Amino acid sequence: MSGFSKEWLSLRESADHRARDPVLRDAVVAHLAGREHVRIVDLASGSGSNLRGLSPFIAARQSWRLIDNDPFLLAVVQETLAQFRQREAEIDVALQLLDLAAAPHAALEGEIDLVTASAFFDLVSEDWIARFCTELARRRLPLYAVLTYSGEEIWKRAHPTDAAAHAAFHAHQARDKGFGPAAGPRAAALLEGQLKSFGYRVSTAYSPWRLGDNDADLIAALADGAARAIEETGCVAAEIVEDWRCARRHAISCEIGHIDLFARMPA
Ligand SMILES: C[S@@+](CC[C@H](N)C(=O)[O-])C[C@H]1O[C@@H](n2cnc3c(N)ncnc32)[C@H](O)[C@@H]1O
């Protein structure tokens, strides 16, 4: 198991879909326009949120390959596929159990028109981004990476421990998630820099979660998850973390920053 539960991924899915930048998504759709058949690879697909978020906007017949190293999450995709296919009849979906840390190139084999990923690149290391971009550029493949955590957070109301809690959370973000020290909030800029160095045209957009009255469950889960991470660092005393967690659980609203990125080689 990867540590990303199907319950957590399901809870965040509608906020993720709302947050995606529509202008960048339209640019991706325009890039694929005119093809009868589009072949898409989704890196670290989890339970298939990216498939559900993007496929309805693409008119062509689609073949998706969903890659993850968590067999339980791929099984969730399998379970929900029949229901999904009733609505989206023209979509083929293949599942691939693969450790992307060991083999980024294996994800890019075969005929591919678009590589995509959602909420993934902040987990990987700077070195892995460099390896991945080298492989991507060798094949001149376009990349659409959405919802990479950018580090900005605005919570209402503010709490006196926010600065210490935020610093500890970012220290935890930088821990190894299986790919070497994680790039965390630096990931989108690293990705952009690498891709530009290979000659890609890169567009980015800010795609924050803007959570409020209707997102109480997600806000509470975020507070609990962040508090657990902060506690693990040992940088903030346990009773302070607990006070912060309770305040966060009852936040009126919050904004959590992400970056969407679309990169393609010039024609
Ligand atoms: C934050 S979740 C995002 C899932 C999905 N893309 C979404 O938007 O809901 C990160 C995903 O990365 C996957 N993952 C983590 N390490 C991986 C690895 N080494 N190889 C393949 N997938 C990995 C996890 O299993 C999880 O599904």
Side-chain angles (χ1 to χ4, degrees), residues 2 4 9 12 16 44-46 49 68-70 73 98-101 118-120 123 177 179:
S2 63
F4 296 93
L9 295 182
R12 59 177 288 173
D16 278 348
S45 63
S49 172
D68 207 283
N69 70 338
D70 186 333
L73 292 177
L98 179 71
D99 178 4
L100 287 165
S118 159
F120 170 58
L123 301 178
K177 311 287 190 309
F179 295 81

Side-chain angles (χ1 to χ4, degrees), residues 43 70 105 133 153 164 168 174 176 180 218 235 248 256 261 264:
L43 308 173
D70 186 333
H105 58 280
C133 290
E153 299 207 12
D176 189 339
L218 182 52
C235 295
R248 281 284 157 270
I256 309 287
L261 172 150
R264 62 279 190 207

Side-chain angles (χ1 to χ4, degrees), residues 126-160:
E126 183 167 357
D127 284 354
W128 192 89
I129 288 176
R131 277 169 65 202
F132 172 77
C133 290
T134 305
E135 298 290 341
L136 193 80
R138 185 173 296 156
R139 297 161 176 83
R140 301 180 63 82
L141 291 169
L143 174 70
Y144 178 44
V146 297
L147 301 163
T148 305
Y149 177 66
S150 67
E152 289 96 344
E153 299 207 12
I154 304 167
W155 288 78
K156 286 197 178 135
R157 301 187 171 82
H159 185 272

